[in-house]
């Protein structure tokens, strides 16, 4: 056994105690980071974050009241001068206090291109208004990849829909 001076013993104790403190600080920071990550994820991360629930089964029951969720409610296919409405078919589990935005997807047919007639536009406005009334207090988001040739129709649709929806309904 090697004999140590009192100076060496003090130096070793200081080194070990500073090492232990350093490790303890790292462990505490790690736990704090994990807790903040979990809290942020479970709360919807921030009031500006919106989670998407598309057409697949979604289990979002762990979210709290600050969570905002945009969910696909229905897809409307524009074919010729008619509409084909397909409601959401997958389960969606949300806490009752989640802040929701109803998403309506529009698809146009290449095989039977839509006419974008006044009649078809009015049918579409009525369908979207019915969806808004079914889910009061929620915003409506229209998901439509409008081609350049479809933009005039889309503009008319949004104007007509905005006129028909209650002023409290958000439209995006």
């Amino acid at each position: 056994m090697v004999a140590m001076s009192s100076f060496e013993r003090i130096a070793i104790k200081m080194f070990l105690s500073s090492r232990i403190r350093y490790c303890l600080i790292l462990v505490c920071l790690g736990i704090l980071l994990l807790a903040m990550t979990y809290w942020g994820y479970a709360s919807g991360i921030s009031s500006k974050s919106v989670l998407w629930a598309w057409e697949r089964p979604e289990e979002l029951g762990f979210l709290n009241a600050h969570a905002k969720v945009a969910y696909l409610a229905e897809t409307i296919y524009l074919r010729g001068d008619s509409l084909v409405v397909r409601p959401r078919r997958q389960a969606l589990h949300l806490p009752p206090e989640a802040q929701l935005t109803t998403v309506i997807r529009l698809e146009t047919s290449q095989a039977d291109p839509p006419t974008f007639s006044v009649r078809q536009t009015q049918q579409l406005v009525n369908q979207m208004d019915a969806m808004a009334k079914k889910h009061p207090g929620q915003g409506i988001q229209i998901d439509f990849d409008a081609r350049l040739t479809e933009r005039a129709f889309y503009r008319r649709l949004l104007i007509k829909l905005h006129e028909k929806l209650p002023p409290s309904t958000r439209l995006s």
Side-chain angles (χ1 to χ4, degrees), residues 46-62:
S46 80
S47 61
K48 294 181 182 181
S49 298
V50 178
L51 300 175
W52 279 85
W54 211 240
E55 186 66 58
R56 69 177 192 184
E58 295 284 359
E59 174 52 63
L60 300 173
F62 63 89

Side-chain angles (χ1 to χ4, degrees), residues 103-117:
V103 179
I104 300 171
R105 172 80 183 147
L106 296 181
E107 295 276 347
T108 56
S109 171
Q110 297 301 309
D112 187 11
T115 61
F116 300 128
S117 66

